[in-house]
């Protein structure tokens, strides 16, 4: 995977039609954008929510003056405030279609293969450990058994059959440094903050997307939950769904 992936994502988002922003929410553990045409999306904020509470006034003015496509251009911004808005706008411009599969359908698939979690949400780490997966975590903000500095991830990937990435890898550029991957690796890209562009990710070697849905609703309850400081991962009004992307990958 090269930097060309970011340009491909941007090209697709630019062709999605400009969306006028109805509302923008930057919470402690998630973000949200609602467009005037009814589309909405949840986004990611950098880990350790405190960083998102350090806004810059020039960023605030820029965000308030931007449409959804202008916000989405900030998807690789290193600044937490811009990145949180951008990831939500990108998800709103290209929302997931189809029902997907239950998250639990992934549970038996790795077997005994090691799974490398790169820039994971702490809730996700604990969740997958509860599945008794053989997990190695690459996270600069945590310490513990099988937790390693993020910069060592590329050195350990050869021993992992699976690689689990979150939207944070856009902001840190890890998306571009960890891949391309050997063909035998199974790569999971987890939202929120991931625009639903299956063909783009498929060509990049992503095997599965894991994205939140709010079936049968307009997302209002989930947005209130995020606005109140909650993480999308534990929101009772969201379902996490799996979208297989590769022909060689069987639906769980």
């Amino acid at each position: 995977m090269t930097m060309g992936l970011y340009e491909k994502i941007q090209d697709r988002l630019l062709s999605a039609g400009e969306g006028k922003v109805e509302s923008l929410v930057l919470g402690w553990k998630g973000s949200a954008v609602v467009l005037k045409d009814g589309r909405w999306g949840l986004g990611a904020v950098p880990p350790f929510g405190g960083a998102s509470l350090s806004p810059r006034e020039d960023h605030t003015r820029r965000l308030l003056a931007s449409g959804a496509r202008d916000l989405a251009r900030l998807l690789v911004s290193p600044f937490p405030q811009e990145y949180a808005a951008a990831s939500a706008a990108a998800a709103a411009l290209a929302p997931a279609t189809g029902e997907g599969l239950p998250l639990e359908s992934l549970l038996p698939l790795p077997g005994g293969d090691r799974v490398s979690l790169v820039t994971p949400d702490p809730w996700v780490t604990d969740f997958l450990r509860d599945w008794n997966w053989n997990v190695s975590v690459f996270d600069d903000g945590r310490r513990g058994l099988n937790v390693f500095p993020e910069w060592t991830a590329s050195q350990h990937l050869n021993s992992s059959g699976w690689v689990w990435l979150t939207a944070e890898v856009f902001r840190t550029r890890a998306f571009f440094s960890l891949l391309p991957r050997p063909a035998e690796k199974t790569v999971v890209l987890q939202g929120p903050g991931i625009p639903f562009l299956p063909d783009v990710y498929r060509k990049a070697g992503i095997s599965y997307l894991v994205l939140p849905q709010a079936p049968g609703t307009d997302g209002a309850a989930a947005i209130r939950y995020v606005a109140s400081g909650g993480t999308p991962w534990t929101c009772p009004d969201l379902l996490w769904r799996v979208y297989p992307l590769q022909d060689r990958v069987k639906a769980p």
Side-chain angles (χ1 to χ4, degrees):
M1 187 179 300
T2 66
M3 281 297 289
L5 175 64
Y6 171 71
E7 280 74 23
K8 290 176 183 177
I9 291 174
Q10 288 297 314
D11 286 345
R12 291 292 298 276
L13 293 179
L14 289 175
S15 67
E18 179 59 272
K20 292 186 177 180
V21 176
E22 176 74 26
S23 63
L24 167 64
V25 171
L26 304 183
W28 290 351
K29 300 294 184 180
S31 55
V33 161
V34 178
L35 305 183
K36 290 184 180 294
D37 62 12
R39 288 177 293 171
W40 62 278
L42 294 180
V45 301
F48 326 119
S52 62
L53 300 179
S54 301
R56 289 176 47 169
E57 184 61 29
D58 57 330
H59 290 171
T60 299
R61 290 194 297 268
R62 177 176 181 176
L63 297 181
L64 290 174
S66 297
R69 291 192 303 188
D70 289 334
L71 291 177
R73 288 191 177 97
L74 302 173
L75 192 58
V76 293
S77 172
F79 299 105
Q81 190 179 6
E82 291 186 339
Y83 166 75
S87 60
L93 286 171
T97 59
E99 294 184 0
L101 300 166
L103 181 62
E104 290 75 11
S105 61
L106 289 176
L107 193 157
L109 298 188
D113 284 350
R114 181 175 295 277
V115 180
S116 290
L117 301 184
V118 182
T119 60
D121 184 310
W123 290 96
V124 178
T125 301
D126 295 339
F127 184 88
L128 297 184
R129 281 176 167 164
D130 287 343
W131 278 0
N132 292 319
W133 279 12
N134 183 12
V135 174
S136 293
V137 180
F138 297 91
D139 187 342
D140 291 340
R142 301 187 76 184
R143 297 292 183 269
L145 183 64
N146 290 328
V147 178
F148 307 95
E150 185 181 332
W151 67 268
T152 67
S154 60
Q155 303 173 23
H156 289 81
L157 289 186
N158 287 338
S159 63
S160 298
W162 283 56
V163 180
W164 190 295
L165 307 171
T166 68
E168 177 70 0
V169 296
F170 282 113
R171 191 179 72 92
T172 65
R173 309 303 200 274
F175 212 87
F176 312 114
S177 62
L178 292 176
L179 303 173
R181 62 181 178 83
E184 67 273 10
K185 301 291 184 187
T186 299
V187 180
V188 179
L189 180 59
Q190 175 218 323
I194 301 294
F196 189 67
L197 304 171
D199 55 326
V200 174
Y201 301 126
R202 184 181 298 114
K203 293 177 182 177
I206 302 299
S207 309
Y208 297 98
L209 294 180
V210 174
L211 302 175
Q213 281 189 353
T217 77
D218 59 3
I223 293 171
R224 286 196 298 271
Y225 189 89
V226 168
S228 299
T231 170
W233 190 254
T234 60
C235 177
D237 300 292
L238 290 174
L239 295 176
W240 288 86
R241 308 296 287 181
V242 176
Y243 297 87
L245 301 184
Q246 300 293 342
D247 293 337
R248 67 177 183 84
V249 173
K250 296 181 180 179

